[in-house]
Amino acid sequence: MTTAALPRTAPSRTAPPAARTAAVIPAAGRGVRLGPGAPKALRALGGTPLLVHAVRAVARAREVGLVVVVAPPQAAAEVRHLLDAHPLPAAPAAQGADVVVVPGGATRQESVRRGLDALPGEVEIVLVHDAARPLVPADTVDAVAAAVRAGAPAVVPALPLTDTVKEVEPQAAGAPEPVISTPARARLRAVQTPQGFQRAVLAEAHAAFAGAGEGATDDAGMVERLGQPVVVVPGHEEAFKVTRPLDLVLAEAVLTRRRADGY
Ligand code: C5P
């Protein structure tokens, strides 16, 4: 579906070095757990759609020269207009990132694959970032990109867990669930995005595991299945995913604090 790509600027310019790093932002989810309403990526946070926050967050990172937004299939034109109405602030580097919109698929995995298909040939490093993580700091994005540039095939930002985790035998909602195991908490990490990849490695993973059921919710997991090494770098507590209504309350509070701090 790359023909449906709606470029903001003509893609004919000579790519600067930064364009070798691109971000794919899957934003095609319905956001059912957030309650009824518009697709999650289009819901407002501080008066601005989640997706716009997420695009700005990755575009603020020095390395990113291109952002591919994967929109809900029925709302690609709406998303294009939305992004045009919320232009990126002037980039700290000499050039701003281009933003392209493509329609997404039925699963996150399919949406990411469509985003990858829209990347031009010169892109060597890909960051995949959930639209649902609107407040990821630019330093986290830079750290992931730098680790890939330093040679890691796949890099994941993650945090230690505060809760202990148990593996269970799932039952119907509300029914007691037998515990199978309690993994040692110190060895567990809660994974965030952006996840960073050598483009060729991620493309190989998506080609190898295409179209299975509900699809992968985690790109790095697909790379692990390829047998390629994946490393974790420190994530950030403000890179949390907005999934449930309480997450939106927290996100509003973080944004209010940032604005008070002049961020
Ligand atoms: O559903 P979940 O919270 O795991 O979604 C993570 C990200 O993947 C969200 O930004 C969502 O918009 C995106 N997604 C997508 N296409 C889908 C399902 C989810 O782009 N079919």
Side-chain angles (χ1 to χ4, degrees):
M1 294 282 269
T2 53
T3 50
L6 307 166
R8 167 174 284 180
T9 57
S12 56
R13 65 178 187 146
T14 305
R20 292 198 216 111
T21 299
V24 171
I25 301 192
R30 294 201 311 276
V32 174
R33 290 168 288 181
L34 205 51
K40 178 160 68 178
L42 305 185
R43 308 229 191 158
L45 168 60
T48 303
L50 285 179
L51 172 62
V52 172
H53 287 281
V55 171
R56 287 178 176 167
V58 294
R60 208 179 283 125
R62 278 174 287 115
E63 294 218 21
V64 173
L66 170 69
V67 180
V68 176
V69 171
V70 189
Q74 321 311 339
E78 184 185 344
V79 165
R80 175 74 273 168
H81 290 135
L82 197 73
L83 292 167
D84 288 341
H86 295 85
L88 297 173
Q95 53 104 68
D98 287 340
V99 182
V100 169
V101 178
V102 299
T107 65
R108 183 186 183 281
Q109 180 180 336
E110 175 65 12
S111 292
V112 172
R113 192 189 60 73
R114 291 186 183 198
L116 295 177
D117 286 349
L119 295 177
E122 69 266 21
V123 171
E124 295 169 355
I125 291 177
V126 182
L127 307 180
V128 181
H129 181 59
D130 290 334
R133 298 181 189 271
L135 299 177
V136 61
D139 284 353
T140 305
V141 183
D142 279 334
V144 170
V148 181
R149 192 160 292 293
V155 179
V156 177
L159 291 175
L161 298 185
T162 51
D163 291 329
T164 295
V165 170
K166 292 194 186 293
E167 184 186 4
V168 300
E169 192 60 59
Q171 306 290 315
E177 298 178 315
V179 171
I180 294 171
S181 69
T182 305
R185 190 173 67 187
R187 293 177 62 86
L188 299 179
R189 299 289 179 268
V191 167
Q192 304 177 325
T193 71
Q195 298 186 355
F197 303 92
Q198 305 284 353
R199 184 224 186 128
V201 170
L202 185 58
E204 186 186 347
H206 273 266
F209 306 117
E214 294 182 3
T217 56
D218 172 55
D219 295 282
M222 297 169 67
V223 172
E224 289 162 42
R225 285 165 66 194
L226 271 188
Q228 291 274 357
V230 176
V231 295
V232 165
V233 298
H236 196 285
E237 60 183 3
E238 293 179 5
F240 63 92
K241 186 162 69 171
V242 174
T243 304
R244 289 168 289 229
L246 188 60
D247 301 322
L248 212 41
V249 175
L250 180 59
E252 293 281 1
V254 170
L255 202 58
T256 300
R257 197 206 62 218
R258 283 187 184 181
R259 285 175 176 167
D261 291 347
Y263 179 85

